[in-house]
């Protein structure tokens, strides 16, 4: 067994151990902290699968932003676990559920072990048409050109999720400052980090968006890093969260899907199909759309994490 | 055993674990954690399909990779909306439970 193999096996064991911890841990807060660690470990597995774009997305969104969301929820829901302790299903149901889950796992494992290698692939198709997009990163080409409709709809889902979260605000708070009221504590490590990290984070985020055309990276990953920078500033109370009625905020939220849709519709006129790019202009148009997508992601993610406003705007 | 097969088996185990948490845990936040584990297991299964589709000079098929990236963002949206609903439920009824008979008498 080589060193790499030993590392792979330890990584798999570690991932599963942390995953079991998030299920069996008695305390919800501890389980959520376990989930953050789990996300980072899974992004290492993605690196081992040679899917660096996915690894970046998993680390930034799957672990980072989801982690902040779940940790703040776990803190607000502290003490609610004792009340539901009586609702645990009986031992018989638990054994039955465990058996069912094992059957599902066994079936999937059988599929994994009998999967043909090399398997079905669209990689040659992607390679053949990659030159037409003038991009170097095939994943970005799939996201922004070959399967651009998926990405457009995903941006719409993100937008609808923000509307869904906002719509949970009480009537009197509509248009108010996003998120719960926070204690004014400008001291401490968080405030220090909130001053130290953003300058570096913003540069890294812009770099990741820009190189996304040719290297692993892109609007999703860069947007998530920008979102994280904004969130840490808000959480450290160095800046107030925006009021959800603010016009600038709303424009930033719709910019991504709107510009993408406009470029897509323009495809009818200049390239004879929805979301088609005219020859020679594909890359500039894709980068143009990605800039607005990054803006929308960077604004949407904090809105989803902060939650609905619980006070009116002053 | 190769790295992709190992990752695929890890994914299969994660789907089972997540499903168990989703079914058995009474607390909605723990159900959400289970839902996310399940989702990430399914994504890893996509990962092995991508890796086994390595061809034309690419280390992995880019199409499943792009689908997973889209999936991660959509899973986050679903999680965020569920958390917001859960916190609203807690504010309205004073308890974070999915039992239909709790918090009904509340005026909110």
């Amino acid at each position: 067994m080589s060193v790499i193999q030993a590392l792979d096996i330890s990584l798999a064991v570690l991932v599963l151990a942390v995953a079991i911890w998030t299920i069996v841990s008695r305390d919800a807060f501890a389980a959520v902290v376990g989930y953050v660690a789990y996300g980072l470990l899974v992004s290492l597995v993605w690196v081992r699968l040679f899917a660096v774009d996915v690894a970046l997305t998993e680390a930034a969104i799957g672990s980072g932003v989801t982690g902040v969301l779940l940790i703040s929820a776990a803190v607000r829901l502290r003490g609610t676990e004792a009340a539901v302790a009586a609702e645990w299903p009986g031992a018989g149901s638990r054994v039955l559920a465990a058996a069912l889950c094992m059957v599902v796992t066994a079936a999937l494992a059988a599929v994994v072990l009998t999967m043909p290698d090399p398997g079905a692939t669209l990689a040659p198709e992607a390679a053949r048409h990659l030159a037409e997009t003038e991009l170097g990163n095939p994943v970005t080409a799939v996201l922004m050109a070959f399967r651009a409709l998926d990405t457009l709809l995903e941006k719409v889902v993100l937008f609808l999720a923000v509307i869904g979260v906002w719509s949970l605000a009480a009537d009197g708070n509509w248009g108010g400052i996003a998120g719960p009221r926070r204690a004014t504590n400008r001291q401490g490590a968080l405030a220090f980090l909130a001053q130290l990290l953003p300058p570096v984070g913003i540069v890294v985020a812009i770099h990741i968006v820009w190189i996304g055309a040719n290297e692993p990276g892109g609007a999703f990953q860069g947007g998530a890093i920008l979102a994280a920078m904004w969130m840490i500033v808000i959480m450290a109370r160095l800046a107030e969260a925006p009021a959800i009625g603010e016009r600038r905020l709303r424009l930033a939220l719709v910019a991504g899907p709107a510009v993408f849709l406009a470029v897509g519709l323009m495809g009818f006129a200049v390239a004879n199909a929805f979301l088609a790019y005219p020859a020679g202009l594909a890359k500039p148009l894709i980068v143009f759309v990605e800039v607005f997508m990054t803006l929308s992601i960077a604004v949407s993610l904090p809105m989803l994490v902060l939650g609905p406003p619980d006070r009116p705007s002053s | 055993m190769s790295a992709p097969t190992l990752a695929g088996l890890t994914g299969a185990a994660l789907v089972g674990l997540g499903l168990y948490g989703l079914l058995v845990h009474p607390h909605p936040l723990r159900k959400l954690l289970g839902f996310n584990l399940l989702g990430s297991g399914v994504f890893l299964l996509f990962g092995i399909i991508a890796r086994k589709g390595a061809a034309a000079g690419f280390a992995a098929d880019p199409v499943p990779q792009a689908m997973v990236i889209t999936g991660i963002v959509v899973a986050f949206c679903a999680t965020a909306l569920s958390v917001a609903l859960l916190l609203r439920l807690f504010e309205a009824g004073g308890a974070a439970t999915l039992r239909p008979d709790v918090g009904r008498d509340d005026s909110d």
Side-chain angles (χ1 to χ4, degrees), chain A residues 23 25 38 80 87 121 168, chain B residues 25 27 30 40 52-53 88 97:
Chain A
I23 299 292
S25 159
Y38 163 83
T80 59
E87 294 173 34
T121 178
L168 294 171
Chain B
H25 256 295
H27 196 279
R30 305 299 295 273
S40 121
K52 295 217 164 173
R88 190 81 180 91
T97 174

Side-chain angles (χ1 to χ4, degrees), chain A residues 235-246:
Chain A
M235 285 176 171
R237 296 274 309 174
L238 293 178
E240 186 67 276
I244 67 165
E246 229 176 85

Side-chain angles (χ1 to χ4, degrees), chain A residues 5 8 19 22-23 25 35 38 46 50-51 66 76 80 84 87-89 101 105 119 121-122 142 154 158 168 301, chain B residues 1 3 12 14 16 20 24-25 27 30 36-37 40 43 47 51-53 61 66 70 76-77 88 90-91 96-97:
Chain A
Q5 248 181 333
D8 275 338
T22 68
I23 299 292
S25 159
Y35 183 77
Y38 163 83
W46 283 107
F50 292 84
T66 308
R76 287 175 72 184
T80 59
V84 296
E87 294 173 34
W88 274 93
C101 297
T105 293
T121 178
L122 286 165
V142 174
E154 177 233 271
L158 197 60
L168 294 171
L301 298 181
Chain B
M1 195 184 296
L14 288 172
Y20 180 78
V24 169
H25 256 295
H27 196 279
R30 305 299 295 273
N36 272 295
L37 277 187
S40 121
F43 295 152
R51 183 72 179 109
K52 295 217 164 173
D61 185 355
T70 306
F76 168 73
C77 291
R88 190 81 180 91
F90 174 57
E91 273 170 28
T97 174

Side-chain angles (χ1 to χ4, degrees), chain B residues 2-41:
Chain B
S2 66
T5 308
L6 196 61
L9 292 178
T10 312
L14 288 172
V15 170
L17 271 173
L19 190 60
Y20 180 78
L22 189 60
L23 287 175
V24 169
H25 256 295
H27 196 279
L29 191 66
R30 305 299 295 273
K31 281 189 189 294
L32 266 179
L33 277 179
F35 164 80
N36 272 295
L37 277 187
L38 191 149
S40 121

Side-chain angles (χ1 to χ4, degrees), chain A residues 170-220:
Chain A
D171 283 349
N173 298 336
W174 179 253
I177 292 160
R181 208 183 298 264
R182 285 169 203 284
T184 44
N185 173 22
R186 282 162 207 259
Q187 308 298 318
L190 186 60
F192 175 66
L193 278 178
Q195 286 167 320
L196 190 72
L197 285 181
V200 183
I202 290 168
V203 173
V204 170
I206 293 171
H207 173 73
I208 283 186
V209 174
W210 179 250
I211 62 160
N214 292 319
E215 305 285 336
F220 299 85

Side-chain angles (χ1 to χ4, degrees), chain A residues 70-84:
Chain A
L70 292 174
I71 285 179
S72 43
V75 169
R76 287 175 72 184
L77 292 172
R78 230 173 203 172
T80 59
E81 282 155 286
V84 296

Side-chain angles (χ1 to χ4, degrees), chain A:
Chain A
M1 189 164 58
S2 70
V3 177
I4 291 288
Q5 248 181 333
L7 284 175
D8 275 338
I9 291 171
S10 348
L11 183 60
V13 170
L14 211 54
V15 164
L16 288 177
V18 179
I20 292 171
W21 167 255
T22 68
I23 299 292
V24 301
S25 159
R26 294 217 163 267
D27 178 33
F29 187 78
V32 169
V33 172
Y35 183 77
V36 176
Y38 163 83
L40 291 174
L41 290 169
V42 167
S43 61
L44 288 179
V45 177
W46 283 107
V47 174
R48 285 295 294 140
L49 289 169
F50 292 84
V52 181
D53 294 88
V54 183
L56 283 171
T57 313
E58 173 67 38
I61 298 181
S63 171
V65 184
T66 308
V68 178
L69 173 77
L70 292 174
I71 285 179
S72 43
V75 169
R76 287 175 72 184
L77 292 172
R78 230 173 203 172
T80 59
E81 282 155 286
V84 296
E87 294 173 34
W88 274 93
S93 314
R94 286 216 295 261
V95 170
L96 197 66
L100 170 78
C101 297
M102 277 179 208
V103 169
V104 172
T105 293
L108 289 172
V111 171
V112 167
L113 290 172
T114 55
M115 204 177 273
D117 192 11
T121 178
L122 286 165
E125 289 289 317
R128 196 172 313 136
H129 298 286
L130 189 60
E132 292 163 33
T133 66
E134 299 153 68
L135 300 172
N137 180 354
V139 178
T140 305
V142 174
L143 283 171
M144 299 303 295
F146 308 149
R147 295 295 310 170
L149 187 62
D150 294 353
T151 310
L152 172 59
L153 289 177
E154 177 233 271
K155 287 284 117 19
V156 176
V157 168
L158 197 60
F159 181 63
L160 289 177
V162 173
I163 294 178
V165 168
W166 283 0
S167 67
L168 294 171
D171 283 349
N173 298 336
W174 179 253
I177 292 160
R181 208 183 298 264
R182 285 169 203 284
T184 44
N185 173 22
R186 282 162 207 259
Q187 308 298 318
L190 186 60
F192 175 66
L193 278 178
Q195 286 167 320
L196 190 72
L197 285 181
V200 183
I202 290 168
V203 173
V204 170
I206 293 171
H207 173 73
I208 283 186
V209 174
W210 179 250
I211 62 160
N214 292 319
E215 305 285 336
F220 299 85
Q221 298 89 342
I225 297 174
L226 281 179
M229 294 306 123
W230 194 21
M231 280 190 291
I232 193 172
V233 169
I234 291 174
M235 285 176 171
R237 296 274 309 174
L238 293 178
E240 186 67 276
I244 67 165
E246 229 176 85
R247 183 170 295 270
R248 274 188 310 170
L249 176 73
R250 294 186 173 191
L251 280 175
L253 282 172
V254 296
V259 169
F260 205 166
L261 191 62
V263 168
L265 289 172
M266 200 184 74
F268 278 126
V270 295
N272 277 326
F274 182 53
L275 286 168
Y277 305 111
L281 276 175
K283 187 174 176 185
L285 274 176
I286 286 171
V287 173
F288 180 74
V289 170
E290 281 203 300
V291 168
F292 290 97
M293 266 175 48
T294 308
L295 177 68
S296 286
I297 293 167
V299 176
S300 305
L301 298 181
M303 290 303 115
L304 290 174
V305 170
L306 290 171
D310 75 345
R311 65 205 137 136
S313 63
S314 63

